[in-house]
Amino acid sequence: KQEVTQIPAALSVPEGENLVLNCSFTDSAIYNLQWFRQDPGKGLTSLLLIQSSQREQTSGRLNASLDKSSGRSTLYIAASQPGDSATYLCAVRHNTDKLIFGTGTRLQVFP
Amino acid sequence: EAGVVQSPRYKIIEKKQPVAFWCNPISGHNTLYWYLQNLGQGPELLIRYENEEAVDDSQLPKDRFSAERLKGVDSTLKIQPAELGDSAVYLCASSREGGNGYTFGSGTRLTVV
């Protein structure tokens, strides 16, 4: 059974710092991995999607890497801003088309 | 394009009452999902539809939960009767057939008192 773990569970940093959020999964036979952002009381916004054959994806200040063999992904946020404050969720998908989520990292960036 | 639309945004009901949630997916998205998100947890799949067919409902508590997707577009999720433990956020998502990316709605936050 696939299990997805995210570390740390919570993170509070001053703005301007570069951050690394970690995601690990137990079954490496994934189809892809996706990072989402969730603001309080809101739904999920897709940030980056990495196919199983890819090593990384970049969008603006965000960079996500994938090491499928070791069951790990990292989300790198450069030059963090208060507007980045949210919960970040990673989810893996197998060929069953079902997403399995981690419990998230709650990020707070203070001015 | 319009996103995935869910209603209502919030719902408060007494236990043992019925409740229904509605979802309108993105136009052209054949696959529709209902996820349950408990406080402080990641979402978990309840049911997945390919067009009007429920292809994965293994995690749907069928004694009290039901769902339908008539005509393969809009979907409703129903709970009858609701229990205190059903308090959570119910998220709807859609994707193209064979597509990779999901689009989630804003969710319905249910509180059972």
Side-chain angles (χ1 to χ4, degrees):
Chain A
K1 179 185 175 184
Q2 176 72 273
E3 292 183 3
V4 181
T5 303
Q6 291 187 244
I7 295 173
L11 188 61
S12 182
V13 299
E15 69 175 316
E17 284 202 2
N18 300 322
L19 308 172
V20 176
L21 308 183
N22 297 292
C23 174
S24 62
F25 46 95
T26 55
D27 184 351
S28 62
I30 64 171
Y31 188 75
N32 61 40
L33 182 144
Q34 200 163 357
W35 282 93
F36 293 89
R37 168 184 173 141
Q38 186 172 33
D39 292 284
K42 301 291 182 61
L44 280 65
T45 301
S46 179
L47 297 174
L48 291 165
L49 183 148
I50 311 176
Q51 301 292 351
S52 61
S53 58
Q54 297 175 325
R55 297 285 293 181
E56 66 178 346
Q57 284 287 329
T58 299
S59 176
R61 294 182 294 107
L62 304 180
N63 174 276
S65 67
L66 174 64
D67 183 344
K68 199 174 73 162
S69 61
S70 66
R72 294 179 183 175
S73 176
T74 60
L75 178 67
Y76 178 82
I77 303 176
S80 59
Q81 302 171 357
D84 295 331
S85 299
T87 295
Y88 292 80
L89 294 155
C90 75
V92 299
R93 177 192 162 188
H94 294 270
N95 57 8
T96 57
D97 195 23
K98 170 182 168 180
L99 286 181
I100 299 175
F101 285 84
T103 53
T105 294
R106 294 187 310 280
L107 172 66
Q108 181 180 11
V109 182
F110 53 89
Chain B
E1 63 181 2
V4 175
V5 180
Q6 290 188 247
S7 68
R9 286 296 315 276
Y10 306 93
K11 189 74 176 180
I12 301 175
I13 62 170
E14 294 183 345
K15 63 181 180 182
K16 300 185 181 180
Q17 295 301 305
V19 63
F21 315 125
W22 176 81
C23 173
N24 179 239
I26 291 176
S27 177
H29 281 196
N30 304 89
T31 308
L32 183 146
Y33 317 78
W34 284 101
Y35 280 83
L36 164 70
Q37 186 176 25
N38 288 304
L39 186 65
Q41 301 295 314
E44 297 181 357
L45 181 69
L46 287 173
I47 188 168
R48 174 170 68 94
Y49 282 93
E50 291 289 347
N51 298 304
E52 65 273 13
E53 181 182 0
V55 296
D56 184 356
D57 62 355
S58 57
Q59 307 229 66
L60 189 72
K62 298 182 183 61
D63 56 336
R64 298 183 300 107
F65 286 64
S66 65
E68 62 183 10
R69 192 185 183 197
L70 300 177
K71 302 181 181 179
V73 181
D74 295 0
S75 177
T76 57
L77 177 68
K78 299 177 182 178
I79 308 174
Q80 183 172 11
E83 297 179 353
L84 295 176
D86 296 330
S87 296
V89 176
Y90 292 82
L91 294 162
C92 179
S94 69
S95 69
R96 293 187 185 278
E97 184 176 1
N100 293 306
Y102 285 53
T103 302
F104 278 83
S106 298
T108 295
R109 180 176 296 276
L110 173 67
T111 301
V112 182
V113 297

